Coordinates of all heavy atoms in Angstrom, one line a residue:
T1 N 62.2 127.3 114.0 CA 61.6 127.2 115.3 C 61.9 128.4 116.2 O 62.8 129.1 116.0 CB 62.0 125.8 115.9 OG1 61.2 125.5 117.1 CG2 63.5 125.9 116.4
C2 N 60.9 128.5 117.2 CA 61.2 129.6 118.1 C 61.9 129.2 119.3 O 61.7 128.2 119.8 CB 59.9 130.1 118.5 SG 59.8 131.5 119.5
R3 N 63.0 130.1 119.7 CA 63.8 129.8 120.7 C 63.9 131.0 121.6 O 64.1 132.2 120.9 CB 65.2 129.3 120.2 CG 66.1 128.9 121.5 CD 67.3 128.4 121.1 NE 67.2 127.1 120.5 CZ 68.0 126.5 119.5 NH1 69.2 127.1 119.2 NH2 67.8 125.3 119.1
M4 N 64.0 130.9 122.9 CA 64.2 132.1 123.7 C 65.7 132.5 123.9 O 66.4 131.6 124.2 CB 63.5 131.9 125.1 CG 61.9 131.8 125.1 SD 61.1 133.4 124.6 CE 61.4 134.4 125.8
E5 N 66.0 133.8 123.5 CA 67.4 134.1 123.8 C 67.4 135.3 124.5 O 66.8 136.4 124.1 CB 68.2 134.3 122.5 CG 68.3 132.9 121.8 CD 69.3 133.1 120.6 OE1 69.9 134.2 120.4 OE2 69.4 132.1 119.8
K6 N 67.9 135.3 125.8 CA 67.9 136.6 126.6 C 66.5 137.1 126.9 O 66.3 138.2 126.6 CB 68.9 137.6 126.1 CG 70.5 137.0 126.2 CD 71.3 138.1 125.7 CE 72.7 137.4 125.7 NZ 73.7 138.3 125.1
S7 N 65.5 136.3 127.2 CA 64.2 136.7 127.4 C 63.5 137.3 126.2 O 62.5 137.8 126.3 CB 64.0 137.6 128.7 OG 64.7 138.9 128.1
M8 N 64.0 137.1 125.0 CA 63.5 137.5 123.8 C 63.2 136.3 122.7 O 64.2 135.4 122.6 CB 64.4 138.4 123.0 CG 64.5 139.8 123.7 SD 63.0 140.8 123.6 CE 62.8 141.1 121.8
P9 N 61.9 136.1 122.3 CA 61.7 135.0 121.4 C 62.5 135.3 120.0 O 62.6 136.5 119.5 CB 60.2 135.0 121.1 CG 59.9 136.4 121.5 CD 60.8 137.0 122.5
R10 N 63.0 134.2 119.4 CA 63.8 134.5 118.1 C 63.6 133.3 117.3 O 63.6 132.1 117.8 CB 65.3 134.6 118.6 CG 66.1 134.8 117.2 CD 67.5 135.3 117.8 NE 68.2 135.4 116.5 CZ 69.6 135.2 116.3 NH1 70.2 134.9 117.5 NH2 70.1 135.3 115.2
C11 N 63.4 133.4 116.1 CA 63.3 132.3 115.1 C 64.6 131.8 114.7 O 65.5 132.6 114.4 CB 62.5 132.7 114.0 SG 60.8 133.0 114.4
V12 N 65.0 130.5 114.9 CA 66.3 130.1 114.5 C 66.1 128.7 113.7 O 64.9 128.0 113.8 CB 67.1 129.6 115.7 CG1 67.4 130.7 116.7 CG2 66.3 128.5 116.6
P13 N 67.0 128.5 112.7 CA 66.7 127.4 111.8 C 66.8 126.2 112.6 O 67.6 125.9 113.6 CB 67.9 127.4 110.9 CG 68.7 128.7 111.2 CD 68.2 129.3 112.4
M14 N 65.9 125.1 112.1 CA 66.0 123.8 112.8 C 67.1 123.0 112.1 O 67.4 123.1 111.0 CB 64.6 123.2 112.5 CG 63.5 123.8 113.3 SD 61.8 123.1 112.8 CE 62.2 121.3 112.9
A15 N 67.6 122.0 113.0 CA 68.6 121.1 112.3 C 67.9 120.1 111.7 O 66.9 119.4 112.3 CB 69.4 120.4 113.5
R16 N 68.2 120.0 110.4 CA 67.3 119.0 109.6 C 68.0 117.6 109.7 O 69.2 117.4 109.8 CB 67.3 119.5 108.1 CG 66.6 120.7 107.9 CD 66.6 121.2 106.5 NE 65.7 120.2 105.8 CZ 65.6 120.0 104.4 NH1 66.2 121.0 103.7 NH2 64.9 119.1 103.9
T17 N 67.2 116.5 109.4 CA 67.7 115.3 109.5 C 67.0 114.5 108.3 O 66.3 115.0 107.5 CB 67.2 114.5 110.8 OG1 65.8 114.3 110.7 CG2 67.5 115.2 112.1
C18 N 67.4 113.3 108.2 CA 66.9 112.4 107.1 C 65.3 112.2 107.2 O 64.7 111.9 106.2 CB 67.6 111.0 107.0 SG 69.2 111.2 106.1
Q19 N 64.8 112.4 108.4 CA 63.4 112.2 108.6 C 62.7 113.3 107.8 O 61.5 113.4 107.6 CB 62.9 112.1 110.0 CG 63.5 111.0 110.8 CD 63.2 111.0 112.2 OE1 63.1 112.0 112.8 NE2 63.1 109.8 112.9
D20 N 63.3 114.5 107.6 CA 62.8 115.8 107.0 C 62.9 115.6 105.5 O 62.3 116.5 104.9 CB 63.5 116.9 107.4 CG 63.5 117.1 108.9 OD1 62.4 116.8 109.5 OD2 64.5 117.5 109.5
L21 N 63.5 114.7 104.9 CA 63.9 114.6 103.5 C 63.2 113.4 102.9 O 63.5 112.3 103.3 CB 65.3 114.6 103.2 CG 65.8 114.8 101.8 CD1 65.4 116.2 101.2 CD2 67.5 114.6 101.9
T22 N 62.5 113.5 101.7 CA 62.1 112.5 101.0 C 62.8 112.3 99.8 O 62.9 113.1 98.8 CB 60.5 112.5 100.5 OG1 59.9 112.8 101.8 CG2 60.1 111.4 99.7
C23 N 63.5 111.1 99.6 CA 64.4 111.1 98.3 C 63.6 110.3 97.2 O 62.7 109.4 97.5 CB 65.7 110.2 98.9 SG 66.8 111.1 99.9
P24 N 64.1 110.5 96.0 CA 63.4 109.8 94.8 C 63.8 108.3 94.8 O 64.8 107.9 95.4 CB 63.9 110.6 93.7 CG 65.2 111.2 94.1 CD 65.1 111.4 95.6
P25 N 63.0 107.5 94.0 CA 63.4 106.1 93.9 C 64.9 106.0 93.4 O 65.3 106.7 92.6 CB 62.4 105.5 93.0 CG 61.2 106.5 93.1 CD 61.8 107.8 93.3
G26 N 65.6 105.0 94.0 CA 66.8 104.7 93.4 C 67.9 105.6 94.4 O 69.1 105.4 94.0
S27 N 67.5 106.2 95.3 CA 68.3 106.9 96.2 C 67.9 106.8 97.8 O 66.8 106.4 97.9 CB 68.5 108.5 95.8 OG 67.2 109.1 96.0
R28 N 68.7 107.1 98.6 CA 68.5 107.1 100.0 C 69.0 108.4 100.6 O 70.0 108.9 100.1 CB 68.9 105.8 100.7 CG 70.4 105.6 100.6 CD 70.9 104.4 101.4 NE 72.4 104.1 101.2 CZ 73.2 104.7 101.9 NH1 72.8 105.6 102.8 NH2 74.5 104.4 101.9
C29 N 68.6 108.7 101.8 CA 69.1 109.8 102.5 C 70.4 109.5 103.3 O 70.4 108.4 103.9 CB 68.0 110.3 103.4 SG 68.6 111.9 104.3
Q30 N 71.3 110.3 103.3 CA 72.5 110.2 104.0 C 72.9 111.5 104.6 O 73.0 112.5 103.8 CB 73.7 109.6 103.3 CG 74.9 109.3 104.0 CD 76.0 108.6 103.0 OE1 75.6 107.8 102.1 NE2 77.2 109.2 102.9
M31 N 73.4 111.6 105.9 CA 73.7 112.8 106.5 C 75.2 113.2 105.9 O 76.0 112.4 106.0 CB 73.9 112.8 108.0 CG 72.4 112.6 108.6 SD 71.3 114.0 108.2 CE 72.1 115.3 109.2
D32 N 75.3 114.5 105.4 CA 76.6 115.0 104.9 C 76.8 116.1 105.9 O 76.5 117.2 105.7 CB 76.5 115.5 103.6 CG 77.7 116.0 103.0 OD1 78.7 115.8 103.6 OD2 77.6 116.5 101.8
R33 N 77.7 115.9 106.9 CA 78.0 116.9 107.9 C 76.7 117.0 108.6 O 76.3 116.1 109.5 CB 78.7 118.1 107.5 CG 80.1 117.7 107.0 CD 80.8 119.1 106.7 NE 82.1 118.7 106.2 CZ 82.6 119.2 105.0 NH1 81.8 120.0 104.2 NH2 83.8 118.9 104.7
T34 N 76.2 118.2 108.6 CA 74.9 118.5 109.2 C 73.7 118.6 108.4 O 72.7 118.9 108.9 CB 75.0 119.9 110.0 OG1 75.3 120.9 109.1 CG2 76.2 119.7 111.1
M35 N 73.8 118.3 107.1 CA 72.7 118.3 106.2 C 72.4 116.9 105.6 O 73.3 116.1 105.2 CB 73.2 119.2 104.9 CG 73.3 120.6 105.3 SD 71.8 121.4 105.8 CE 70.8 121.2 104.3
P36 N 71.1 116.6 105.4 CA 70.7 115.5 104.9 C 70.7 115.6 103.4 O 70.5 116.6 102.8 CB 69.3 115.3 105.3 CG 68.8 116.5 105.6 CD 69.9 117.5 106.0
R37 N 71.2 114.6 102.7 CA 71.4 114.6 101.2 C 70.8 113.2 100.6 O 71.1 112.2 101.3 CB 72.8 114.7 100.7 CG 73.3 116.1 101.4 CD 74.3 116.8 100.3 NE 74.9 117.9 100.8 CZ 74.4 119.1 100.7 NH1 73.2 119.3 100.3 NH2 75.1 120.1 101.2
C38 N 70.3 113.3 99.4 CA 69.9 112.1 98.8 C 71.1 111.5 98.0 O 71.7 112.3 97.1 CB 68.7 112.3 97.8 SG 67.3 112.6 98.7
V39 N 71.5 110.4 98.2 CA 72.6 109.7 97.4 C 72.1 108.4 96.7 O 71.3 107.9 97.2 CB 73.7 109.3 98.4 CG1 74.4 110.6 99.1 CG2 73.3 108.4 99.5
P40 N 72.7 108.1 95.4 CA 72.2 106.9 94.8 C 72.4 105.7 95.6 O 73.4 105.5 96.4 CB 73.1 106.9 93.5 CG 73.8 108.2 93.5 CD 73.8 108.8 94.8
V41 N 71.4 104.6 95.5 CA 71.7 103.4 96.3 C 72.5 102.5 95.2 O 72.3 102.5 94.1 CB 70.2 102.8 96.4 CG1 70.4 101.4 96.9 CG2 69.4 103.6 97.3
K42 N 73.5 101.8 95.9 CA 74.2 100.8 95.1 C 73.5 99.6 95.2 O 73.6 99.0 96.2 CB 75.7 100.9 95.6 CG 76.4 102.1 95.5 CD 77.8 102.2 96.0 CE 78.4 103.4 95.9 NZ 79.8 103.5 96.6
L43 N 72.9 99.2 94.0 CA 72.2 98.0 93.9 C 73.2 96.8 93.7 O 74.3 96.9 93.2 CB 71.3 98.0 92.6 CG 70.3 99.0 92.6 CD1 69.5 99.0 91.3 CD2 69.4 98.9 93.7
T44 N 72.7 95.5 94.3 CA 73.5 94.5 94.1 C 72.5 93.4 93.5 O 71.3 93.7 93.2 CB 74.0 94.0 95.4 OG1 72.9 93.5 96.4 CG2 74.7 94.9 96.2
C45 N 73.0 92.1 93.3 CA 72.2 91.1 92.7 C 71.1 90.8 93.7 O 70.1 90.1 93.3 CB 73.1 89.9 92.5 SG 73.9 90.0 90.8
Q46 N 71.3 91.0 95.1 CA 70.3 90.8 96.0 C 69.0 91.7 95.8 O 67.9 91.3 96.2 CB 70.7 91.0 97.4 CG 71.7 90.0 97.8 CD 72.4 90.2 99.2 OE1 72.2 91.4 99.7 NE2 72.8 89.2 99.9
D47 N 69.1 92.8 95.0 CA 68.0 93.6 94.8 C 67.4 93.3 93.4 O 66.3 94.0 93.1 CB 68.5 95.0 94.7 CG 69.4 95.5 96.0 OD1 68.7 95.4 97.0 OD2 70.5 95.9 95.9
L48 N 67.8 92.4 92.7 CA 67.3 92.1 91.4 C 66.8 90.7 91.4 O 67.4 89.8 91.7 CB 68.4 92.2 90.3 CG 68.1 92.2 88.8 CD1 67.2 93.4 88.6 CD2 69.3 92.3 88.0
T49 N 65.5 90.5 90.8 CA 64.9 89.2 90.5 C 65.0 89.0 89.1 O 64.3 89.8 88.3 CB 63.5 89.3 91.1 OG1 63.5 89.6 92.5 CG2 62.8 87.8 90.8
C50 N 65.6 87.9 88.7 CA 65.9 87.6 87.3 C 64.8 86.6 86.9 O 64.4 85.8 87.6 CB 67.3 87.0 87.0 SG 68.6 88.2 87.2
P51 N 64.4 86.6 85.6 CA 63.3 85.7 85.0 C 64.0 84.2 85.0 O 65.1 84.0 84.9 CB 62.9 86.2 83.8 CG 64.0 86.9 83.2 CD 64.8 87.6 84.5
P52 N 63.2 83.2 84.8 CA 63.6 81.8 84.8 C 64.6 81.6 83.5 O 64.3 82.4 82.5 CB 62.4 81.0 84.5 CG 61.2 81.8 85.1 CD 61.7 83.2 85.0
G53 N 65.6 80.9 83.7 CA 66.5 80.7 82.5 C 67.7 81.8 82.5 O 68.6 81.9 81.8
S54 N 67.6 82.6 83.6 CA 68.7 83.7 83.7 C 69.3 83.7 85.1 O 68.5 83.3 86.0 CB 68.3 85.0 83.1 OG 67.2 85.5 83.8
T55 N 70.3 84.4 85.3 CA 70.9 84.6 86.7 C 71.5 86.1 86.6 O 71.7 86.6 85.7 CB 71.9 83.5 86.9 OG1 72.3 83.7 88.3 CG2 73.1 83.7 86.1
C56 N 71.6 86.5 87.9 CA 72.1 87.8 88.1 C 73.7 87.8 88.0 O 74.3 87.0 88.8 CB 71.7 88.5 89.3 SG 72.3 90.2 89.6
R57 N 74.4 88.7 87.3 CA 75.8 89.0 87.4 C 76.0 90.5 87.6 O 75.3 91.2 86.9 CB 76.5 88.5 86.2 CG 76.3 87.0 86.0 CD 77.7 86.2 86.2 NE 77.5 84.9 86.5 CZ 77.3 83.9 85.6 NH1 77.2 84.4 84.3 NH2 77.2 82.6 85.9
M58 N 77.0 90.9 88.3 CA 77.5 92.2 88.4 C 78.2 92.6 87.2 O 79.2 91.9 86.8 CB 78.2 92.5 89.6 CG 77.6 92.3 90.9 SD 76.1 93.4 91.1 CE 76.9 95.0 91.3
D59 N 77.9 93.8 86.4 CA 78.5 94.3 85.3 C 79.1 95.6 85.9 O 78.6 96.6 86.0 CB 77.5 94.6 84.2 CG 78.2 95.1 83.0 OD1 79.4 95.3 82.9 OD2 77.5 95.5 82.1
R60 N 80.3 95.5 86.4 CA 81.0 96.6 87.0 C 80.3 96.8 88.4 O 80.4 96.1 89.3 CB 81.2 97.9 86.3 CG 82.1 97.7 85.0 CD 82.5 98.8 84.4 NE 83.4 98.7 83.3 CZ 83.3 99.0 82.1 NH1 82.2 99.5 81.6 NH2 84.3 98.8 81.1
T61 N 79.6 97.9 88.4 CA 78.8 98.2 89.6 C 77.2 98.1 89.4 O 76.5 98.5 90.3 CB 79.0 99.7 90.1 OG1 78.7 100.6 89.0 CG2 80.5 99.8 90.4
T62 N 76.8 97.5 88.4 CA 75.3 97.2 88.0 C 75.0 95.8 88.0 O 75.6 95.1 87.2 CB 75.1 98.0 86.7 OG1 75.5 99.5 86.8 CG2 73.5 98.1 86.4
P63 N 73.9 95.6 88.6 CA 73.4 94.0 88.6 C 72.6 93.9 87.2 O 71.9 94.7 86.8 CB 72.6 93.8 89.8 CG 72.2 95.3 90.2 CD 73.2 96.3 89.7
R64 N 73.0 92.8 86.5 CA 72.2 92.6 85.2 C 71.8 91.1 85.2 O 72.6 90.1 85.8 CB 73.1 92.9 84.0 CG 73.5 94.3 84.0 CD 73.8 94.7 82.6 NE 74.3 96.0 82.6 CZ 73.7 97.1 82.6 NH1 72.5 97.1 83.0 NH2 74.3 98.2 82.5
C65 N 70.6 90.8 84.7 CA 70.2 89.4 84.4 C 70.9 89.0 83.0 O 70.9 89.6 82.1 CB 68.6 89.4 84.2 SG 67.9 89.6 85.9
V66 N 71.5 87.8 83.1 CA 72.1 87.2 81.9 C 71.5 85.8 81.7 O 71.2 85.1 82.8 CB 73.7 87.3 82.1 CG1 74.3 88.6 82.0 CG2 74.2 86.4 83.2
P67 N 71.5 85.4 80.5 CA 71.1 84.0 80.3 C 72.0 82.9 81.0 O 73.2 83.2 81.0 CB 71.1 83.7 78.8 CG 71.2 85.1 78.2 CD 71.9 86.1 79.3
I68 N 71.5 81.8 81.6 CA 72.3 80.8 82.1 C 72.8 80.0 80.9 O 72.0 79.6 80.0 CB 71.4 79.9 82.9 CG1 70.9 80.8 84.2 CG2 72.2 78.6 83.5 CD1 70.0 79.9 85.2
A69 N 74.1 79.7 80.9 CA 74.7 78.9 79.7 C 74.2 77.5 80.0 O 74.6 76.8 81.1 CB 76.2 79.1 79.8
L70 N 73.6 76.9 79.1 CA 73.0 75.5 79.3 C 74.3 74.6 78.8 O 75.0 74.8 77.9 CB 71.8 75.3 78.3 CG 70.6 76.1 78.8 CD1 69.5 75.7 77.9 CD2 70.2 75.7 80.3
T71 N 74.3 73.3 79.4 CA 75.2 72.3 79.0 C 74.4 71.0 78.7 O 73.2 71.0 79.0 CB 76.3 72.1 80.2 OG1 75.5 71.6 81.2 CG2 77.0 73.4 80.5
C72 N 75.1 70.0 78.4 CA 74.6 68.7 78.2 C 73.9 68.2 79.5 O 73.1 67.3 79.5 CB 75.5 67.7 77.6 SG 75.7 68.1 75.7
Q73 N 74.4 68.6 80.6 CA 73.9 68.2 81.9 C 72.5 68.7 82.1 O 71.8 68.2 82.8 CB 74.9 68.6 83.0 CG 76.2 68.0 83.0 CD 77.0 68.5 84.2 OE1 76.8 69.6 84.8 NE2 78.1 67.8 84.5
D74 N 72.2 69.9 81.4 CA 70.7 70.3 81.5 C 69.8 69.7 80.6 O 68.6 70.0 80.6 CB 70.9 71.8 81.2 CG 71.8 72.5 82.1 OD1 71.7 72.5 83.4 OD2 72.6 73.3 81.8
L75 N 70.1 68.8 79.7 CA 69.3 68.3 78.6 C 69.1 66.8 78.8 O 70.2 66.2 79.0 CB 69.9 68.7 77.3 CG 69.1 68.4 76.0 CD1 67.8 69.2 76.1 CD2 70.0 68.7 74.8
T76 N 67.9 66.2 78.8 CA 67.7 64.7 78.6 C 67.4 64.3 77.3 O 66.3 64.9 76.8 CB 66.5 64.5 79.8 OG1 66.9 65.0 81.0 CG2 66.4 63.0 79.7
C77 N 68.2 63.6 76.7 CA 68.0 63.1 75.3 C 67.2 61.9 75.3 O 67.3 61.0 76.3 CB 69.3 63.0 74.6 SG 70.2 64.4 74.4
P78 N 66.4 61.6 74.2 CA 65.6 60.3 74.3 C 66.6 59.3 74.0 O 67.6 59.4 73.4 CB 64.6 60.6 73.1 CG 65.2 61.8 72.2 CD 66.1 62.6 73.2
P79 N 66.0 58.1 74.1 CA 67.0 56.8 74.0 C 67.4 56.8 72.4 O 66.6 57.2 71.5 CB 65.9 55.7 74.1 CG 64.8 56.2 75.1 CD 64.8 57.7 74.7
G80 N 68.6 56.3 72.2 CA 69.2 56.3 70.8 C 69.8 57.7 70.5 O 70.3 57.7 69.2
S81 N 69.8 58.5 71.4 CA 70.5 59.8 70.9 C 71.4 60.2 72.1 O 71.4 59.7 73.3 CB 69.5 60.9 70.6 OG 68.8 61.3 71.9
T82 N 72.3 61.2 71.8 CA 73.3 61.6 72.8 C 73.3 63.1 72.7 O 72.9 63.6 71.6 CB 74.6 61.0 72.8 OG1 75.4 61.4 73.8 CG2 75.3 61.4 71.4
C83 N 73.8 63.7 73.8 CA 73.9 65.2 73.7 C 75.4 65.7 73.3 O 76.3 65.1 73.5 CB 73.7 65.7 75.1 SG 73.7 67.5 75.1
R84 N 75.3 66.7 72.4 CA 76.6 67.3 71.9 C 76.3 68.8 71.9 O 75.3 69.4 71.7 CB 76.9 66.8 70.4 CG 77.1 65.4 70.2 CD 78.6 65.3 69.7 NE 79.1 63.9 69.9 CZ 78.8 62.9 69.1 NH1 78.1 63.1 68.0 NH2 79.3 61.6 69.4
M85 N 77.4 69.5 72.2 CA 77.4 71.1 72.2 C 77.5 71.4 70.8 O 78.6 71.1 70.2 CB 78.4 71.7 73.1 CG 78.3 71.2 74.6 SD 76.7 71.9 75.3 CE 77.0 73.6 75.3
E86 N 76.6 72.3 70.3 CA 76.7 73.0 69.0 C 76.5 74.4 69.2 O 75.4 74.9 69.6 CB 75.7 72.3 68.0 CG 75.9 70.9 67.7 CD 74.7 70.4 66.6 OE1 74.1 71.3 66.2 OE2 74.8 69.2 66.4
K87 N 77.6 75.1 68.7 CA 77.6 76.7 69.0 C 77.0 77.0 70.4 O 76.0 77.9 70.4 CB 76.7 77.2 67.9 CG 77.2 77.0 66.5 CD 76.2 77.7 65.4 CE 76.7 77.3 64.0 NZ 75.7 77.7 63.0
S88 N 77.6 76.5 71.3 CA 77.4 76.8 72.7 C 76.0 76.4 73.2 O 75.5 76.8 74.3 CB 77.7 78.2 73.1 OG 76.7 79.0 72.5
M89 N 75.3 75.5 72.4 CA 74.0 75.1 72.8 C 74.0 73.5 73.0 O 74.6 72.9 71.9 CB 73.0 75.5 71.9 CG 72.5 77.1 72.0 SD 71.8 77.5 73.6 CE 70.3 76.6 73.5
P90 N 73.4 72.8 73.9 CA 73.3 71.5 73.9 C 72.2 70.9 72.9 O 71.2 71.6 72.8 CB 72.9 71.1 75.3 CG 72.2 72.3 75.9 CD 72.7 73.5 75.0
R91 N 72.5 70.0 72.1 CA 71.6 69.4 71.1 C 71.6 67.8 71.2 O 72.7 67.3 71.4 CB 72.0 69.7 69.8 CG 72.1 71.1 69.5 CD 70.7 71.7 68.8 NE 70.9 73.0 68.4 CZ 70.2 74.1 69.0 NH1 69.2 73.8 69.9 NH2 70.4 75.3 68.7
C92 N 70.5 67.3 71.1 CA 70.4 65.7 71.0 C 70.7 65.4 69.6 O 70.0 65.8 68.6 CB 69.0 65.3 71.6 SG 68.7 65.6 73.2
V93 N 71.6 64.3 69.4 CA 71.9 63.8 68.1 C 71.8 62.6 68.0 O 72.2 61.8 69.1 CB 73.3 64.5 67.6 CG1 73.3 66.0 67.4 CG2 74.4 64.0 68.5
P94 N 71.5 61.8 67.0 CA 71.5 60.4 67.0 C 72.9 59.7 67.3 O 73.7 60.3 66.9 CB 70.9 60.0 65.6 CG 70.6 61.2 64.9 CD 71.1 62.3 65.7

C-alpha cells in the first residue's frame, strides 16, 4: 500500500490478516505472531455423521464411525424363543 513518509509517497507492505488467506479444506487460518497461517482443524465426533447402526468414537485424535455392539436388549425374539449371545451377536434360539 502507499503511505506518505516525510512528504514522499512510499510503498510499504500491508499487514496481512486471516481475511487475506484462503485455507484448503481440513484447515483454518490462525494468526502466528503477525502472519496468517493455515493450520489443520482438529475434528471431533461433532463433525462426523455416522451411518445407522454405528456411532462415533475418538481413535486418539481422529473421530471414527464404529459399529454399535448389539445386545439381546436390541433384539425382539418370536414367541417360544429367547435371545442368547453367540460370538458377540444376539441370536434368537428355541
Side-chain angles (χ1 to χ4, degrees):
T1 186
C2 183
R3 185 177 288 159
M4 294 298 289
E5 289 186 9
K6 297 180 183 174
S7 70
M8 291 290 294
R10 183 170 176 211
C11 291
V12 294
M14 293 174 43
R16 295 186 64 191
T17 67
C18 280
Q19 292 176 341
D20 305 315
L21 187 63
T22 301
C23 292
S27 66
R28 63 179 174 80
C29 184
Q30 181 177 319
M31 292 301 290
D32 182 10
R33 294 192 180 121
T34 59
M35 289 296 295
R37 300 220 185 275
C38 292
V39 295
V41 173
K42 292 181 180 173
L43 297 176
T44 68
C45 280
Q46 291 177 340
D47 303 306
L48 190 63
T49 302
C50 292
S54 66
T55 188
C56 182
R57 295 251 164 76
M58 292 300 291
D59 180 7
R60 293 193 179 118
T61 59
T62 305
R64 300 212 187 280
C65 291
V66 294
I68 295 173
L70 297 176
T71 67
C72 280
Q73 292 177 346
D74 303 305
L75 189 63
T76 303
C77 292
S81 66
T82 187
C83 182
R84 292 242 166 83
M85 294 299 291
E86 292 181 6
K87 297 180 184 174
S88 73
M89 286 296 294
R91 302 264 187 243
C92 293
V93 293

